[in-house]
Amino acid sequence: MSYYITTDATCDYPQDLPQFDKFEIIPMTYTIGDTEYGIDKQLSGKEFYDTIRNGAMPTTSLITSYFATEFFRPILQAGNDLLHICFSSGLSSTYQNIVNAIDELKAEFPERKIYMLDSRCASSGEGLLAYYALKARENGMSIENNYNETLKRRDKLCHYFTPDDLFHLMRGGRVSKTAAIAGSLLQIKPMLYVNIDGKLSTIDKIKGRKKALLSLISHMQDKMIAEENDVIIIVHADCPDEVEFLKEKVIEKTGITTIISNYIGPVIGSHTGPGTMALVFVGKDKIEPNDALLEK
């Protein structure tokens, strides 16, 4: 099928997933000190999180409408249609900037089919949504049907995660300084997920890291539809030993053995900090009726 599928660098697309032609990822930049990374310069996952452990405070930038327009234009000029899967509108203004770019390009290329959707996902959740869209295209699905099927799947794409350091959530306004200090002293680990609106929501507060990791498994067991999952993704902020622990527990509790681990990329990791762990999979829905709010 002659159409491109694109997404944003926030997708943290795992290298161990199949790689596809006519698939492009819009790069996004982040800054550490006076150095900008993400396009001409890159850091490995471990290098990035080591800089944070050593005191760096990375900052991130949005995808601008101009940058998006310049990224998409050559794809359309070459005669391709386009399906773009965008970072959640509930987490970033990048979505609106890309909407503006797409509107401009629709006027410039009226003969092209151009679709974009709000993934309402983050990190490898966005990447997994792109993977299923790419797989559908390879199986011959039209761009129109793929857009509609991806819209349906996004509301079942579950992400559950627990951070290790509340001070990074404090920086992003998720918790107060008082709550961050108290939580760190008491080893309280929040359990968060990406909700139906594509925003972060806190559903539990758990004492102790190991219990928090086991809670990820518990939530997955409650939600997962096994037959709809080609793969389970464990996405992490440089904690490989705990990845292995989580893999063993996923296999033990679900019987699913196709499990891929992947680093949380620098754009998302700038806000979560080292030690964050997440499970990403297709579930029956992404609704949690008993959302709990972290103390402000």
Side-chain angles (χ1 to χ4, degrees), residues 171-236:
R171 285 181 61 208
R174 292 293 302 170
V175 300
S176 68
K177 184 176 181 180
T178 300
I181 293 171
S184 295
L185 289 173
L186 297 172
Q187 284 295 296
I188 299 298
K189 307 299 180 184
M191 181 64 54
L192 301 100
Y193 79 111
V194 181
N195 69 21
I196 193 72
D197 296 319
K199 299 178 181 180
L200 298 185
S201 190
T202 307
I203 54 175
D204 205 355
K205 293 180 284 184
I206 300 164
K207 188 169 183 179
R209 175 70 164 180
K210 186 173 181 180
K211 287 183 179 179
L213 296 179
L214 291 173
S215 183
L216 292 173
I217 302 289
S218 177
H219 284 293
M220 184 181 72
Q221 286 180 281
D222 288 342
K223 288 288 186 182
M224 190 178 68
I225 302 174
E227 60 270 21
E228 293 192 20
N229 285 273
D230 290 358
V231 61
I232 304 296
I233 297 179
I234 299 173
V235 60
H236 67 101

Side-chain angles (χ1 to χ4, degrees), residues 2-5 75-76 79-83 111-114 143:
S2 185
Y3 62 94
Y4 263 73
I5 293 176
I75 294 173
L76 300 167
N80 300 286
D81 296 329
L82 175 68
L83 169 59
E111 73 283 7
R112 301 264 66 85
K113 296 176 182 177
I114 305 174
I143 191 171

Side-chain angles (χ1 to χ4, degrees), residues 101-119:
I102 292 293
D103 286 345
E104 179 180 338
L105 290 166
K106 282 181 176 179
E108 185 176 343
F109 298 94
E111 73 283 7
R112 301 264 66 85
K113 296 176 182 177
I114 305 174
Y115 289 83
M116 72 164 288
L117 62 86
D118 179 357
S119 72

Side-chain angles (χ1 to χ4, degrees), residues 265-277:
V267 177
I268 301 293
S270 294
H271 303 281
T272 65
T276 298
M277 292 284 291

Side-chain angles (χ1 to χ4, degrees), residues 26-289:
I26 305 179
M28 298 175 74
T29 60
Y30 59 99
T31 302
I32 300 174
D34 296 326
T35 305
E36 184 178 82
Y37 297 89
I39 298 179
D40 296 325
K41 294 184 178 182
Q42 305 287 345
L43 291 174
S44 70
K46 180 163 182 54
E47 288 171 337
F48 172 74
Y49 289 109
D50 280 346
T51 66
I52 296 180
R53 292 186 181 105
N54 291 329
M57 301 289 279
T59 58
T60 59
S61 301
L62 302 174
I63 296 173
T64 66
S65 295
Y66 174 80
F67 191 87
T69 301
E70 293 303 301
F71 182 87
F72 293 136
R73 183 176 281 116
I75 294 173
L76 300 167
Q77 285 176 331
N80 300 286
D81 296 329
L82 175 68
L83 169 59
H84 182 70
I85 298 170
C86 190
F87 185 36
S88 175
S89 64
L91 296 173
S92 173
S93 297
T94 283
Y95 173 78
Q96 187 56 53
N97 290 346
I98 292 184
V99 167
N100 295 339
I102 292 293
D103 286 345
E104 179 180 338
L105 290 166
K106 282 181 176 179
E108 185 176 343
F109 298 94
E111 73 283 7
R112 301 264 66 85
K113 296 176 182 177
I114 305 174
Y115 289 83
M116 72 164 288
L117 62 86
D118 179 357
S119 72
R120 297 183 185 171
C121 294
S123 189
S124 291
E126 184 182 351
L128 189 58
L129 194 66
Y131 161 72
Y132 283 117
L134 288 159
K135 184 180 172 185
R137 186 193 63 186
E138 295 304 295
N139 289 334
M141 186 175 285
S142 69
I143 191 171
E144 296 88 351
N145 288 341
N146 205 345
Y147 169 79
N148 290 325
E149 288 301 309
T150 304
L151 276 179
K152 293 176 185 176
R153 184 175 285 109
R154 75 171 183 188
D155 293 336
K156 301 195 294 183
L157 209 302
C158 298
H159 333 48
Y160 290 95
F161 69 99
T162 184
D164 193 41
D165 185 346
L166 294 178
F167 288 98
H168 286 276
L169 290 178
M170 181 192 74
R171 285 181 61 208
R174 292 293 302 170
V175 300
S176 68
K177 184 176 181 180
T178 300
I181 293 171
S184 295
L185 289 173
L186 297 172
Q187 284 295 296
I188 299 298
K189 307 299 180 184
M191 181 64 54
L192 301 100
Y193 79 111
V194 181
N195 69 21
I196 193 72
D197 296 319
K199 299 178 181 180
L200 298 185
S201 190
T202 307
I203 54 175
D204 205 355
K205 293 180 284 184
I206 300 164
K207 188 169 183 179
R209 175 70 164 180
K210 186 173 181 180
K211 287 183 179 179
L213 296 179
L214 291 173
S215 183
L216 292 173
I217 302 289
S218 177
H219 284 293
M220 184 181 72
Q221 286 180 281
D222 288 342
K223 288 288 186 182
M224 190 178 68
I225 302 174
E227 60 270 21
E228 293 192 20
N229 285 273
D230 290 358
V231 61
I232 304 296
I233 297 179
I234 299 173
V235 60
H236 67 101
D238 196 31
C239 30
D241 291 342
E242 290 174 324
V243 168
E244 292 307 311
F245 170 80
L246 211 54
K247 278 185 180 180
E248 291 175 6
K249 291 299 179 183
V250 170
I251 294 169
E252 175 188 326
K253 298 296 185 180
T254 71
I256 293 175
T257 58
T258 308
I259 303 167
I260 289 175
S261 62
N262 188 46
Y263 270 89
I264 297 172
V267 177
I268 301 293
S270 294
H271 303 281
T272 65
T276 298
M277 292 284 291
L279 278 176
V280 180
F281 58 94
V282 179
K284 58 187 177 182
D285 59 46
K286 45 197 297 190
I287 298 170
E288 290 287 343

